[in-house]
Amino acid sequence: MAEKQELITIERDGQELEVDERRFRLFYKPLGWVRQTVKELTKTEVIEELKKREVNFDPKAKVADLRSLLDDTIAAEQKGE
């Protein structure tokens, strides 16, 4: 059974799609699509992503701190930590 791929949001010319990492690298990235960055997420979206990744955080924290935590979490996931 194939492993379920987590979806990422990508964008191009104001359009957004959710695709898995493999399809993004193989098909969309060469066509100019880019990954939606953490910096563009609202505080609500950042909190949703942190909850999805089961990260402990203070919901009353400043949005910049939450974005930094999410960015660090994503980087650690990509390294396989």
Side-chain angles (χ1 to χ4, degrees):
M1 181 184 273
E3 182 180 322
K4 184 180 178 189
Q5 293 285 322
E6 185 173 331
L7 298 179
I8 60 170
T9 302
I10 60 173
E11 58 189 5
R12 178 177 171 201
D13 300 329
Q15 296 180 2
E16 292 184 1
L17 289 176
E18 287 191 352
V19 298
D20 62 58
E21 180 75 27
R22 183 174 181 273
R23 284 197 168 107
F24 169 66
R25 285 187 320 229
L26 291 176
F27 304 115
Y28 293 97
K29 192 173 182 178
L31 296 174
W33 287 79
V34 294
R35 186 186 311 251
Q36 183 180 34
T37 65
V38 173
K39 302 287 185 228
E40 296 170 336
L41 298 176
T42 65
K43 185 173 184 175
T44 303
E45 292 170 326
V46 171
I47 288 173
E48 288 175 12
E49 287 296 318
L50 289 169
K51 285 180 180 177
K52 185 167 56 172
R53 289 174 166 80
E54 299 178 356
V55 175
N56 293 326
F57 64 95
D58 179 7
K60 295 178 184 176
K62 293 181 180 179
V63 68
D65 295 335
L66 294 173
R67 285 178 177 149
S68 178
L69 177 60
L70 179 58
D71 195 38
D72 293 345
T73 303
I74 292 170
E77 288 174 353
Q78 291 174 345
K79 288 182 181 177
E81 295 178 357

